[in-house]
């Protein structure tokens, strides 16, 4: 559980969980972490295709050439392997599927 709290603290979310914390709050924290992972995967996937689009158009590449930090980001995403992209997509679907499965189980069990 400490790993989960450390992950949330990276995003500025401070949650105090101890023995007296309700299971519903723990469930919400788990759903939040899965959604954050899914969002980061989607952003990474989207950036990959934006970089491919920019590198194919010479006009956009010329406008970015005077900004060295953007060129570093472009080079990182150009060198990204296809296997990493497949891993990123699968992690996205696993996290979103887990949230859907978890919420479906809660609704079907009538816990709320």
């Amino acid at each position: 559980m400490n790993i989960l709290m450390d992950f949330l603290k990276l995003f500025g979310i401070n949650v105090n969980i101890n023995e007296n914390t309700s299971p519903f709050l723990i469930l919400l924290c788990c759903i939040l972490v899965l959604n954050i992972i899914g969002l980061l995967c989607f952003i990474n996937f989207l950036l990959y295709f934006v970089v491919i689009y920019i590198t194919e158009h010479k006009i956009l590449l010329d406008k970015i050439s005077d900004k060295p930090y953007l060129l570093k980001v472009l080079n990182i995403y150009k060198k990204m392997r296809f296997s990493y992209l497949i891993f990123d997509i699968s992690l996205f679907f696993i996290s979103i599927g887990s949230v859907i499965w978890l919420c479906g189980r809660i609704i079907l069990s009538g816990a709320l």
Side-chain angles (χ1 to χ4, degrees):
M1 192 50 111
N2 291 331
I3 296 171
L4 179 70
M5 295 303 109
D6 292 339
F7 184 76
L8 289 175
K9 285 180 185 176
L10 287 174
F11 293 98
I13 301 169
N14 295 320
V15 179
N16 295 325
I17 292 182
N18 53 25
E19 302 87 33
N20 299 330
T21 305
S22 70
F24 186 68
L25 182 62
I26 295 172
L27 175 73
L28 290 178
C29 287
C30 292
I31 290 174
L32 179 65
V33 167
L34 287 171
N35 281 328
I36 289 172
I37 291 171
L39 181 65
L40 292 176
C41 290
F42 180 74
I43 289 171
N44 194 20
F45 184 69
L46 190 66
L47 280 175
Y48 178 74
F49 283 110
V50 167
V51 166
I52 288 175
Y53 180 78
I54 288 174
T55 56
E56 289 180 358
H57 292 83
K58 186 71 173 165
I59 297 169
L60 294 173
L61 199 57
D62 290 337
K63 289 182 180 179
I64 294 177
S65 64
D66 60 340
K67 297 176 179 64
Y69 56 90
L70 286 178
L71 286 176
K72 288 180 184 178
V73 171
L74 282 175
N75 288 332
I76 289 171
Y77 277 95
K78 278 196 302 190
K79 294 178 183 177
M80 184 184 295
R81 297 188 184 266
F82 189 69
S83 60
Y84 179 73
L85 192 62
I86 295 296
F87 174 74
D88 199 31
I89 292 169
S90 63
L91 186 63
F92 171 74
F93 283 121
I94 288 171
S95 65
I96 297 300
S98 297
V99 169
I100 292 170
W101 177 78
L102 189 59
C103 292
R105 293 262 328 230
I106 292 171
I107 290 172
L108 291 177
S109 69
L112 298 177

